[in-house]
Amino acid sequence: MSTASVFLAVVLCAALTTTAGGAIASEMLALLSFKNNLDDPLGAMDEWNASSPSAPCDWRGIVCFQGRVRELRLPRLQLSGRLTDDLAKLRQLRRLSLHSNNLNGSIPGGLSQCILLRAVYLQYNSLSGDLWPAFFPNLTNLQVLNLAHNHLSGTIFGQVPVSLRVLDLSSNSFSGEIPTNFSVTHQLQLLNLSFNDFSGTIPATIGALQQLQYLWVDSNKLYGTIPSAIANCSALVHFSAGDNRISGVFPATLGSLKSLQVISLPHNQLSGVVPVSLFCNVTALNAHAIKILDLSFNGFTGMVKPENNLACFSALEILDFHENQIKVVFPDFLMKFSTLKVLDISGNLISGVLPNNFENLMVLEQFRVGDNSLTGEIPETISKCGSLGVLDLGYNRFSGSIPEFLGEMKNLTALFLGGNSFTGPVPVSLGDLYQLELLDLSDNKLTGNLTSEFTRLTNLSTLNLSNNRFSGEVLLNVGELKGLEVLNMSGCGFSGVIPEGIENLLRLKTIDLSKQNLSGELPIELFGLPSLEVVALDDNLLSGDSS
């Protein structure tokens, strides 16, 4: 035995002469065992020494009360290795915080003997193994259990303690059904079971959780319907259950929850109509709180609009119905929601024309109605949306000319007008959209020459002009668009030679100039571009070696 070990044994034997001293010595030994079991590359525990004046209470990460260890807190220190079962000897432990390290192995079952534990933070580690049934039975004081982002598995069965306020098991591999033993005595405020392998249905007993504010069960294998009993969770703020197999209609009663701000259920199998209660309330006294409504990638077929002559009070900021089967005339009532920042109803069966009252949407940042059956022309009031960054009108049945006033929308970063029946020349004013990163005018009936104004769009990364009826030469100054990654001018009717300046497009990944009347020699520099992956030059009159 080394001299240091003999000294430590003497110190501990002396401490064991009293009951209190024995407890302190036992806790010190447990902590030293904990330390010796771990790799500590930052030296966080280097000063853990039994001979320090107030050991272990003066050690880093240790908080004591009356000489007993109350808290063990060593987060974000790159600790690795396994947790020792000796932690069970910390009988006065209230808080265990070891999150954001590289700990592995299983969670010691002995922790269940620390019956005074109130908070356990072990998230963002590499812990594995089964957690139930040994962990919970004795921990009747536990309020916070955060085990997110580990490799834990197994099923959750037995009784979830009524004292728990936060239970976060997200991003693990738990399976089986969600516990059903919830009652009005439970104090849960946050339940996060997302990104696991849970199956079965969302239990109706969750409706008994009167203090529940956050319910997250995304990315599991849940099926069945959304229980209407969730509307009894009067404190609910955020309900998220995306990427499951949930079906049936959406309970309209959820829209009456005064605190509910977020409903996120994308990538499910919901059907029927979207109830008006999710959009707005008809009285200001019962103010509508929902700010984010994401029902994208489902099977909804319609949406209920407010009754005639009734006001509609809404707080909606994000409304996403992308990729459903909604078959209605464009819902004009949405234009009254002055708080909207994102409106995405693309990928549906919506018909009619766009209304000309966009001046109500002064904070709108994204307007996406692509892939529908809309007709008519682009309304001029859309240019009043000074914050608009994304305008997607692609793949509808719009006609007429592309209006010059689009050039007034200086904040546009993406403009999708492809797949329509626009005619006439490309307006010169589009060259004023200096922030534009993506421009898609493909699959229309546009004519005329491309002007040099296009080369002012120096932020462009994608330019798609394919399948139109242009004439003249390819953009001679295209080499000035040095940020281009995708250039598609296929089937546009251009003639002449490939511009030499194309050698300046060092970020270019895809170039498609096929199906034209291009002639002359292939620029050797084209095939020396460092990022180029796809080249399509077929159906032209080009000469030279492209190998």
Side-chain angles (χ1 to χ4, degrees):
M1 182 181 292
S2 68
T3 304
S5 299
V6 171
F7 175 75
L8 176 60
V10 171
V11 170
L12 293 181
C13 287
L16 286 169
T17 58
T18 65
T19 303
I24 294 172
S26 177
E27 291 180 350
M28 191 183 306
L29 279 175
L31 290 171
L32 290 174
S33 173
F34 164 81
K35 171 189 174 180
N36 293 334
N37 233 35
L38 300 179
D39 182 29
D40 179 13
L42 302 182
M45 295 179 285
D46 283 355
E47 296 180 3
W48 281 26
N49 192 310
S51 61
S52 63
S54 302
C57 299
D58 56 356
W59 295 353
R60 178 178 178 177
I62 304 298
V63 177
C64 293
F65 180 75
Q66 295 181 346
R68 302 294 300 277
V69 176
R70 284 286 185 94
E71 299 183 12
L72 172 55
R73 301 193 303 193
L74 294 169
R76 302 186 188 91
L77 292 171
Q78 301 180 27
L79 301 177
S80 61
R82 293 173 172 262
L83 297 178
T84 172
D85 225 24
D86 285 341
L87 289 176
K89 296 175 182 176
L90 305 177
R91 296 301 175 87
Q92 294 294 317
L93 192 64
R94 266 55 165 192
R95 182 187 185 98
L96 177 63
S97 179
L98 301 172
H99 66 85
S100 308
N101 282 295
N102 300 309
L103 302 172
N104 55 42
S106 60
I107 297 175
L111 271 180
S112 63
Q113 298 176 39
C114 301
I115 59 175
L116 298 178
L117 261 177
R118 294 180 182 175
V120 175
Y121 298 96
L122 294 174
Q123 69 270 29
Y124 290 98
N125 279 288
S126 297
L127 299 167
S128 59
D130 201 342
L131 185 64
W132 273 261
F135 193 72
F136 267 156
N138 299 325
L139 301 181
T140 56
N141 294 296
L142 194 62
Q143 296 179 5
V144 178
L145 178 61
N146 193 335
L147 304 176
H149 292 270
N150 279 286
H151 307 302
L152 298 164
S153 58
T155 58
I156 302 176
F157 54 88
Q159 301 296 307
V160 175
V162 296
S163 59
L164 263 184
R165 296 180 181 177
V166 173
L167 177 58
D168 191 343
L169 306 179
S170 60
S171 298
N172 280 284
S173 298
F174 289 111
S175 58
E177 296 188 351
I178 296 173
T180 60
N181 72 300
F182 302 114
S183 68
V184 292
T185 59
H186 277 81
Q187 300 177 43
L188 266 178
Q189 297 174 9
L190 183 149
L191 177 60
N192 190 353
L193 306 178
S194 298
F195 299 97
N196 279 285
D197 292 315
F198 288 109
S199 57
T201 61
I202 300 175
T205 51
I206 285 179
L209 300 173
Q210 296 298 299
Q211 299 182 46
L212 188 65
Q213 298 178 39
Y214 300 94
L215 174 59
W216 296 324
V217 292
D218 305 83
S219 299
N220 282 287
K221 298 175 181 176
L222 302 175
Y223 52 83
T225 60
I226 299 171
S228 58
I230 292 180
N232 296 323
C233 300
S234 56
L236 196 62
V237 173
H238 190 143
F239 173 41
S240 186
D243 194 20
N244 282 288
R245 287 174 281 180
I246 300 170
S247 58
V249 299
F250 192 96
T253 50
L254 262 65
S256 64
L257 292 175
K258 294 182 180 180
S259 299
L260 190 58
Q261 296 182 18
V262 179
I263 298 175
S264 180
L265 293 162
H267 294 277
N268 277 290
Q269 299 168 12
L270 296 166
S271 58
V273 298
V274 182
V276 68
S277 61
L278 301 188
F279 299 115
C280 59
N281 285 324
V282 295
T283 62
L285 294 176
N286 188 20
H288 198 260
I290 297 175
K291 295 181 179 179
I292 298 175
L293 178 59
D294 185 354
L295 300 178
S296 58
F297 294 94
N298 276 283
F300 289 104
T301 54
M303 58 177 74
V304 180
K305 63 180 182 179
E307 296 181 16
N308 292 334
N309 301 320
L310 288 178
C312 187
F313 298 95
S314 175
L316 274 172
E317 296 179 4
I318 297 176
L319 177 61
D320 191 347
F321 290 161
H322 177 51
E323 293 293 334
N324 277 276
Q325 300 171 33
I326 298 173
K327 189 175 184 180
V328 297
V329 175
F330 185 87
D332 290 5
F333 69 92
L334 297 179
M335 308 302 288
K336 298 179 181 179
F337 298 168
S338 60
T339 53
L340 270 178
K341 295 180 179 179
V342 176
L343 175 57
D344 189 347
I345 52 175
S346 57
N348 282 283
L349 303 170
I350 296 171
S351 59
V353 300
L354 292 180
N356 199 22
N357 57 344
F358 277 85
E359 65 271 7
N360 295 326
L361 305 179
M362 298 307 293
V363 297
L364 191 65
E365 298 173 1
Q366 296 185 29
F367 183 68
R368 298 177 183 268
V369 295
D371 196 14
N372 278 291
S373 300
L374 296 166
T375 57
E377 298 184 353
I378 302 175
E380 186 170 359
T381 57
I382 202 169
S383 64
K384 304 295 184 182
C385 300
S387 300
L388 200 62
V390 176
L391 176 57
D392 179 8
L393 306 178
Y395 292 90
N396 279 282
R397 300 173 187 173
F398 291 111
S399 58
S401 60
I402 297 176
E404 289 279 351
F405 59 72
L406 290 182
E408 301 171 12
M409 306 178 69
K410 306 299 185 184
N411 287 315
L412 279 179
T413 58
L415 178 59
F416 299 86
L417 299 177
N420 283 287
S421 297
F422 289 115
T423 58
V426 177
V428 173
S429 65
L430 294 191
D432 296 330
L433 300 177
Y434 301 118
Q435 297 192 51
L436 209 58
E437 298 173 8
L438 189 152
L439 177 60
D440 185 351
L441 304 178
S442 63
D443 297 298
N444 278 289
K445 301 174 183 178
L446 300 172
T447 57
N449 296 326
L450 290 184
T451 62
S452 59
E453 279 78 6
F454 260 94
T455 57
R456 293 187 291 170
L457 304 177
T458 54
N459 283 318
L460 272 183
S461 61
T462 298
L463 176 60
N464 189 350
L465 303 173
S466 61
N467 300 317
N468 278 287
R469 302 172 183 177
F470 296 119
S471 57
E473 295 182 315
V474 177
L475 279 171
L476 294 179
N477 298 325
V478 70
E480 296 181 21
L481 302 177
K482 296 181 180 180
L484 269 185
E485 297 179 8
V486 176
L487 175 61
N488 189 347
M489 293 186 174
S490 172
C492 283
F494 289 123
S495 59
V497 298
I498 297 177
E500 292 183 2
I502 212 160
E503 65 193 57
N504 297 323
L505 304 182
L506 301 180
R507 297 182 182 179
L508 198 64
K509 297 179 181 179
T510 300
I511 181 170
D512 188 346
L513 299 177
S514 63
K515 302 174 184 177
Q516 315 270 9
N517 294 312
L518 301 178
S519 58
E521 296 225 356
L522 288 171
I524 298 175
E525 297 83 2
L526 176 64
F527 299 95
L529 294 175
S531 303
L532 198 61
E533 299 172 358
V534 178
V535 179
L537 300 172
D538 51 294
D539 292 334
N540 278 292
L541 303 172
L542 297 165
S543 59
D545 186 3
S546 61
S547 59

